Amino acid sequence: MTDSSVLDLAPVVPVVVVEDVADAVPLARALVAGGLRAIEVTLRTPAALDAIRAVADEVPDAVVGAGTVISPQNVADSVAAGARFLVSPGWTDTLLDAMKKSGVPFLPGVSTTSEVVALLERGVSEMKFFPAEAAGGVPYLKSLAGPLPQARFCPTGGVSLGSAPSSLALKNVGCVGGSWMLPADAVAATDWARIETLAREAAGLG
């Protein structure tokens, strides 16, 4: 992994919601075995930070990051837990400053042209496009490429195995984020073999 880019880690970044910290390590191992090394653990559950810590400690081949980062405290807690990248659904000046000072790569979230321009003005050219499908999807990203070719994106939110290839084909898309390789019933059943198979299918998109 370079010091600066999340977008070049993998074509697909799994977006993981961990309810039970005991699931974190076997789930991460299944994703890595399937070829998906970059894993975004969202800060949506009480188990999230412990899950990041467990994966960072016990799955050395994984590059674990924190998602749903929305405050400077989230930034500090995530990095302390071992997160190697940060992803936010949106951004403010305060949050952006904290992410910049964190020392790890980050993808601030955008859904409008003005937000993209504002980030470029602040020296940030790699972003999360969220919620991707609701905000315009592939046609929107394609339309940004002309006036703003320096901006690169990871579209996340409603992206599926079927829609991911059309996003990945765009010049301004480095990777996509999604959770389709983590069906809730497979996680509930601790069916790590199925998740590994789905991860391998997703990794093949690159």
Side-chain angles (χ1 to χ4, degrees), residues 74-168:
N74 285 164
V75 172
D77 291 344
S78 298
V79 174
R84 292 171 62 186
F85 64 90
L86 305 169
V87 184
S88 70
W91 66 277
T92 64
D93 287 326
T94 301
L95 179 59
L96 188 67
D97 286 345
M99 290 195 291
K100 279 187 167 186
K101 289 173 185 166
S102 71
V104 300
F106 58 90
L107 292 176
V110 297
S111 59
T112 69
T113 309
S114 294
E115 290 170 323
V116 176
V117 172
L119 281 178
L120 290 172
E121 196 175 78
R122 288 161 175 76
V124 177
S125 61
E126 299 190 344
M127 311 165 196
K128 169 177 172 167
F129 180 55
F130 176 83
E133 294 306 304
V138 168
Y140 194 98
L141 286 168
K142 200 179 283 185
S143 69
L144 289 179
L148 302 169
Q150 63 273 57
R152 291 178 73 218
F153 302 95
C154 173
T156 305
V159 179
S160 66
L161 179 64
S163 67
S166 53
S167 291
L168 290 167

